[in-house]
């Protein structure tokens, strides 16, 4: 995440932090009713890579929390940049324990679904952002595959969990956006991320089309070599409107 993001003046970690902060801000604005933010979303941020560990990505007053309501998120920003609140700052270090991160996501998702009336809610959406290959995936990636397949089986009464992946890169060419097949890719791990991704639902397709993407039948929530704009759009496409 320390490499430059395409032609951007700063690195990938900064672009990722900017995109996540922007998404949190937009989600919160959608939840305003009068002067109050209604608890219409609950969001977790899992960071992986720093010191080869997996942990909560929240900072400041939200540090060490896992799933936080949008109301509490808006009550505890880390600070402000460009007259907008921010909640996370860029971090780029360590390895890529992706299997461990998905195991963490699975346990959080299970707990969330089994709490209160969440089985009557929209199924959770897992958005994985990475610029490198998993370092704990096991032989032929099987450990990672098994973890993701277990996560894919979790569901609420309104459907199965959604898993979206974006493989960001410093390259400006060979962008692959929401494909339905990736036989042309020579990168084995990129093909794995495609396989790990679930298909876009009708609402995601609608938003993607509105943003100008060409969406084929049976498109998956996957981007390869996306740029900074794709990253921001990807997060919005993956979030219920």
């Amino acid at each position: 995440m320390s490499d430059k993001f395409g032609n951007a003046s700063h690195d990938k970690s900064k672009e990722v932090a900017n995109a996540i902060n922007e998404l949190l801000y937009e989600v919160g604005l959608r939840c305003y009713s009068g002067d109050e933010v209604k608890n219409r979303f609950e969001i977790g941020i899992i960071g992986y890579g720093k010191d080869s560990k997996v942990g909560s990505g929240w900072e400041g007053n939200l540090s060490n929390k896992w799933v936080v309501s949008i109301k509490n998120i808006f009550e505890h920003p880390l600070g402000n940049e460009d007259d907008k609140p921010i909640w996370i700052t860029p971090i780029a270090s360590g390895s890529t324990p992706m299997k461990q991160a998905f195991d963490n996501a699975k346990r959080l998702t299970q707990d969330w679904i089994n709490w209160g009336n969440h089985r009557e809610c929209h199924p959770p959406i897992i958005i994985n952002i990475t610029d490198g290959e998993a370092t704990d995936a096991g032989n032929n990636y099987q450990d990672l595959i098994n973890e993701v397949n277990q996560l894919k089986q979790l569901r609420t009464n309104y459907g199965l969990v959604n898993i979206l992946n974006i493989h960001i890169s410093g390259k400006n060419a060979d962008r692959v956006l929401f494909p339905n097949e990736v036989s042309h890719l020579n990168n084995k791990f990129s093909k794995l991320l495609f396989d790990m991704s679930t298909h876009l639902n009708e609402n995601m397709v609608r938003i993607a089309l509105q943003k100008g993407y060409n969406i084929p039948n049976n498109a998956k929530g996957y981007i390869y070599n996306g740029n900074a704009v794709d990253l921001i759009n990807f997060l919005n496409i993956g979030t219920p409107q």
Side-chain angles (χ1 to χ4, degrees), residues 190-239:
S190 295
K191 291 180 179 179
L192 173 64
L193 289 175
F194 169 81
D195 290 338
M196 286 165 47
S197 305
T198 55
H199 291 95
L200 296 177
N201 60 37
E202 291 183 5
N203 190 50
M204 293 174 183
V205 170
R206 175 181 60 80
I207 299 169
L209 291 173
Q210 289 175 351
K211 293 183 178 297
Y213 290 98
N214 179 27
I215 306 298
N217 292 331
N218 298 314
K220 283 195 170 188
Y222 175 66
I223 285 182
Y224 173 65
N225 277 355
N227 59 32
V229 173
D230 294 325
L231 173 60
I232 294 172
N233 286 338
F234 186 81
L235 293 176
N236 277 282
I237 289 166
T239 308

Side-chain angles (χ1 to χ4, degrees), residues 11-206:
D11 61 28
K12 298 173 189 175
S13 64
K14 177 63 175 175
E15 287 290 351
V16 169
N18 287 347
I20 294 173
N21 285 320
E22 181 68 23
L23 176 70
L24 293 172
Y25 183 61
E26 290 180 6
V27 168
L29 291 181
R30 297 206 301 264
C31 295
Y32 263 101
S33 178
D35 294 328
E36 183 181 3
V37 177
K38 297 293 186 180
N39 279 331
R40 294 173 179 158
F41 289 86
E42 291 172 317
I43 300 171
I45 299 178
I46 299 174
Y48 62 98
K50 184 179 181 181
D51 301 323
S52 300
K53 295 179 180 179
V54 172
S56 170
W58 297 110
E59 301 179 53
N61 290 334
L62 301 179
S63 291
N64 300 319
K65 296 184 181 296
W66 288 103
V67 178
V68 185
S69 71
I70 190 64
K71 178 178 175 63
N72 286 341
I73 291 169
F74 258 54
E75 288 173 343
H76 298 289
L78 186 62
N80 287 276
E81 286 186 4
D82 300 324
D83 297 322
K84 290 182 179 180
I86 63 168
W87 291 269
I88 64 169
T89 54
I91 296 177
S93 64
S95 57
T96 312
M98 192 179 298
K99 181 262 182 185
Q100 185 182 347
F102 270 102
D103 174 65
N104 195 300
K106 180 186 68 178
R107 288 184 283 110
L108 286 176
T109 300
Q110 286 175 321
D111 290 346
W112 185 89
I113 290 174
N114 291 326
W115 189 84
N117 68 340
H118 287 169
R119 289 191 177 275
E120 298 302 322
C121 296
H122 188 286
I125 299 169
I126 313 297
I127 302 177
N128 179 43
I129 305 170
T130 183
D131 72 336
E133 184 168 337
T135 52
D136 63 346
N139 188 37
N140 292 321
Y141 307 125
Q142 198 57 54
D143 290 348
L144 176 58
I145 292 170
N146 291 342
E147 203 65 60
V148 172
N149 285 342
Q150 291 177 46
L151 179 55
K152 284 182 175 180
Q153 298 307 308
L154 302 180
R155 65 179 302 140
T156 68
N157 293 337
Y158 286 85
L160 294 165
V161 166
N162 301 273
I163 300 178
L164 288 71
N165 288 279
I166 180 166
H167 191 170
I168 62 175
S169 166
K171 298 179 181 179
N172 295 316
D174 300 320
R175 290 162 64 221
V176 179
L177 310 173
F178 307 111
N180 57 12
E181 61 87 22
V182 289
S183 58
H184 60 290
L185 290 181
N186 295 320
N187 186 311
K188 186 177 180 180
F189 190 71
S190 295
K191 291 180 179 179
L192 173 64
L193 289 175
F194 169 81
D195 290 338
M196 286 165 47
S197 305
T198 55
H199 291 95
L200 296 177
N201 60 37
E202 291 183 5
N203 190 50
M204 293 174 183
V205 170
R206 175 181 60 80

